[in-house]
Amino acid sequence: MLVSDFNFDLPEELIAQSPPAIRGSSRMLLLDRTTGQYHDNFFRNLPQILKPGDLLILNDSRVLPARLYAIRTRSQQTQQSSPDPTGRIEVLLTQQLAPNDWTALVRPSRKIQPGERLLFHAPNEARPLLEAEIISASEFGERTLRFSPTPDFNAILNKIGHMPLPPYIHREDSEADRDRYQTVFSQESGSAAAPTAGLHFTPEILTQLKQNGIQIETITLHVGLGTFQPVRAEKLEDIRLHAEHYTLPATTAEAINTALREGGRIIAAGTTTTRTLEHCAQISAGSFLEPHSGQTTIFISPGYKFKIVSGLLTNFHLPQSTLLMMVSAFACPENGKELVLSAYTHAILKKYRFFSYGDCMLLL
């Protein structure tokens, strides 16, 4: 199967540039995996659509203000005297490797090689708040940075960092994005992008779900570099994903074991949750899940047999993306790609909003 098999034409105006005015007001396309039929609904009706006894699992990772702007130490004087510093370096932190070491995407990457030092300033402040050395480089703009030790790194990040909005959102991030590009249940900081299916939930909808007998548990998967890198392979069999760190808590492992034993439905909120659960199923090799932390590189594509997830809430994904391939695998073992692309065609005709700040699908 080819990556190009998962292409579709999307009008530019359907790419959501901002969240809906009211969180939780998104439209939701329901897809019945048994009949292949789909129909329009609204996310606010999720508590009535799910059934008492269902287990809903959320990704509680919290997005870091991971986009930073730096200047090179050897051009510091030039940059500080310039009213429009054209030599600004964009650094997008994607994963923490050690207390002071991070992987990052750097632009323009061609100029920034190992041994370079970068300075990170707050606006209108002469003294840099952070300093980092490039300690290694790999292809496609990836760099490893080692920051000079500072006791308040996260506080500085919150002060000078920007929310890492995806490149298809053609505007600068705003103060409002610090709230709206974050789920209301986020807890564990570490993601370089939001687990976007979770953006639709409100405290009120979560309360309604619990009152209606739906059990809610969490996992943590920190979204990393793979979200930002386009697929460069031509065949699905050649795709390799970057490792992302996850945690399966004890209460969630116990809830999943109970649901599997009793034949209950397990609904994953998002592809990040799905990847985590299915990775855990693979390493458990048919045994009960145990709480643990680790890294996953799992790539789910058509032909994969799901072992835990029986329902999926997800946003609409980019053409030729690994996430679209995963949704196709989940929709149907035989013709999932055709079914999902047909549903996407319907969503385009009905002018659903696409991607991170857009509407959603529920596959049951």
Side-chain angles (χ1 to χ4, degrees), residues 22-233:
I22 301 173
R23 193 192 288 264
S25 62
S26 301
R27 299 166 70 189
M28 183 168 68
L29 184 63
L30 296 184
L31 175 59
D32 187 320
R33 297 193 298 148
T34 302
T35 65
Q37 296 181 335
Y38 40 82
H39 63 274
D40 306 311
N41 211 303
F42 291 93
F43 179 78
R44 63 173 178 265
N45 295 325
L46 184 68
Q48 288 72 49
I49 295 170
L50 298 186
K51 300 176 181 178
D54 283 346
L55 173 60
L56 173 65
I57 302 182
L58 312 173
N59 181 4
D60 68 0
S61 181
R62 189 166 180 82
V63 183
L64 294 165
R67 179 170 279 115
L68 302 169
Y69 295 98
I71 59 174
R72 302 158 74 186
T73 53
R74 67 185 182 190
S75 60
Q76 183 178 8
Q77 296 301 319
T78 301
Q79 297 307 317
Q80 287 182 344
S81 64
S82 170
D84 181 20
T86 56
R88 187 173 69 165
I89 305 299
E90 180 180 331
V91 175
L92 177 60
L93 304 179
T94 56
Q95 187 177 28
Q96 187 170 17
L97 304 175
N100 299 311
D101 295 358
W102 291 76
T103 56
L105 289 174
V106 175
R107 295 193 308 176
S109 60
R110 178 176 50 84
K111 298 179 179 179
I112 308 302
Q113 298 299 327
E116 287 262 15
R117 297 192 71 84
L118 301 178
L119 303 178
F120 302 84
H121 294 259
N124 303 317
E125 291 188 13
R127 186 177 65 86
L129 298 182
L130 293 173
E131 185 171 346
E133 179 183 358
I134 308 296
I135 60 174
S136 68
S138 57
E139 58 184 351
F140 307 126
E142 300 167 35
R143 300 291 184 269
T144 301
L145 279 66
R146 176 163 294 157
F147 285 89
S148 298
T150 177
D152 51 358
F153 182 85
N154 286 334
I156 295 173
L157 202 60
N158 283 323
K159 180 177 181 179
I160 67 174
H162 296 257
M163 293 303 280
L165 298 181
Y168 48 75
I169 294 181
H170 303 302
R171 62 175 175 83
E172 295 294 326
D173 65 303
S174 67
E175 188 62 30
D177 292 309
R178 286 188 174 250
D179 171 59
R180 296 303 302 273
Y181 197 62
Q182 200 80 264
T183 66
V184 299
F185 48 80
S186 63
Q187 293 289 332
E188 305 294 331
S189 292
S191 276
T196 54
L199 296 178
H200 305 282
F201 289 90
T202 66
E204 294 77 16
I205 290 175
L206 290 169
T207 297
Q208 291 174 15
L209 286 162
K210 293 176 182 177
Q211 290 175 344
N212 289 6
I214 289 96
Q215 183 179 358
I216 301 176
E217 301 293 346
T218 62
I219 55 90
T220 304
L221 181 129
H222 293 318
V223 185
L225 185 63
T227 292
F228 300 92
Q229 296 286 45
V231 175
R232 294 187 170 90

